[in-house]
Structure formats: C-alpha cells, structure tokens
Amino acid sequence: MQIIINNHSFRYEMENISRMFLSAAQIEIKENINNPEGNYVLTEISDNKIIVKVSIDSQIVENVQPVKSLNDKDTEWQMAGILYDALSEISGKTQKWGLLTGVRPTRLVHRMLDSGKSILEIRNKFINEYRVSNEKFRLLWQTSSVERNIIKDSSFRDFSLYISIPFCPSRCNYCSFVSSAVEKMGHIIPEYVSFLAKE
C-alpha cells in the first residue's frame, strides 16, 4: 500500500490516519507521484485545493475541497478529516478517537478552555471536526476536568512526575507509548509493579 504525499508537509498525520484503517497493510511512503497505480492513498495540495484519493481493491473514493485556512495546522486538520472520511467510507469503519493520533488529547481541551471556549464549542469541535465518538469525548472531558483542578492548584515550584504503567484495557490507535493490552500481558502486572516500587 502506497501513501503518496504531494506538495505538503503533513506526512506524519497522513501516515497515522492511514495506519488506523490499514493496520494489516505493509505501507510505503512516497512523495510527488502523479499517476499512482494499484492500492494507494494520495494526499495533495494543488491550486489551493486539498485532494484526497483512496484506491483499494478497485474501489475509489476521491474528495477535493478548497483550502479553508492560511494556517498550516488548520489545513493539516482539514486534510486529515478528508482522509479519515475517505478511509471510513471505503472500509465501512470508524475510529472511536477519530483523527486524534497524538499521546495527549487532553492538551487540546486545555488549550481551548484557556482560549475561552465553552464546553459546547469544545464538544462540537471534537465530535464534528475531529470525529471523536461521544463515548470518548465524555471520557476526555472527565479526564480534562480532573486535570484542570490539579493544574489550578499547582504553583510555579511544583513539578509533574510521569510513571509509566504500560498496561491498558485496550490499545488506542492514537497512542505512541510503549504499552500492552491487559488481556495479553496482564499476568506480568504484579511483578512489574513490584519492580517499579523497588526502583
């Protein structure tokens, strides 16, 4: 499976969105290919338009939209959304975390709260623009609210200490941490915690 990046620098997001839907495929990233063949995901900016074309097993989904913003980050989100929708249409699947492929989705919530956005505005952005499911948005909002109270009570001299507990009920597609599903590796948790406490 080729992922083709033409005339933009959003390789990381386009690759990660594609991997969410094409996890079984061997992926090869190529740049500036004009007439791809076979199975591919093409993302391109040309003449102030975003072009996304997905071709898998003779099924083709293509979407062209005008670039809505001069801001590169906004354009990257727009392209990620178009690609997500195309891959969702061709595969018949959705992702509960939508477009989110980073390790800290609460950071986005905090930025929006700091800029004065209401919960309704934040929810609409996550559900409609980032394609996050209602279930995951509720979890994200609860987590952000708890974090916000802790951050509010912090002073300049405080610090955060991150201790990795690399076992999760399930593996989130957006996560880049080294971790394992409890179902698969739960048997080593007691030993891991024992060594962690000793350290």
Side-chain angles (χ1 to χ4, degrees), residues 75-90:
T75 302
E76 183 176 23
W77 279 113
Q78 182 186 358
M79 182 181 280
I82 297 167
L83 176 57
Y84 176 96
D85 292 343
L87 287 165
S88 183
E89 181 180 335
I90 215 162

Side-chain angles (χ1 to χ4, degrees), residues 100-189:
L100 302 185
T101 60
V103 294
R104 288 190 49 213
T106 57
R107 183 176 48 202
L108 296 170
V109 174
H110 292 302
R111 280 188 196 149
M112 290 179 203
L113 286 169
D114 291 344
S115 72
K117 300 274 191 259
S118 70
I119 182 175
L120 185 59
E121 291 171 302
I122 294 169
R123 183 186 180 283
N124 285 339
K125 186 147 187 105
F126 274 86
I127 302 281
N128 300 324
E129 197 172 319
Y130 298 157
R131 281 106 169 139
V132 172
S133 70
N134 283 308
E135 166 200 359
K136 293 302 181 187
F137 179 75
R138 278 192 300 277
L139 174 64
L140 183 55
W141 184 256
Q142 290 168 345
T143 304
S144 299
S145 298
V146 170
E147 284 181 346
R148 199 110 179 126
N149 288 329
I150 294 167
I151 292 167
K152 184 182 68 174
D153 292 336
S154 299
S155 74
F156 176 74
R157 299 176 67 91
D158 290 339
F159 65 92
S160 296
L161 175 63
Y162 175 77
I163 298 173
S164 177
I165 308 291
F167 305 100
C168 299
S170 63
R171 186 91 169 116
C172 297
N173 284 328
Y174 71 79
C175 183
S176 62
F177 283 120
V178 175
S179 67
S180 299
V182 171
E183 183 179 305
K184 183 178 174 186
M185 299 298 289
H187 65 280
I188 67 168
I189 293 174

Side-chain angles (χ1 to χ4, degrees), residues 1 22 32 43 49 51 105 109 114 140 190 192:
M1 170 65 72
L22 308 169
N32 300 318
T43 58
K49 292 185 184 114
I51 301 159
V109 174
D114 291 344
L140 183 55
Y192 179 87

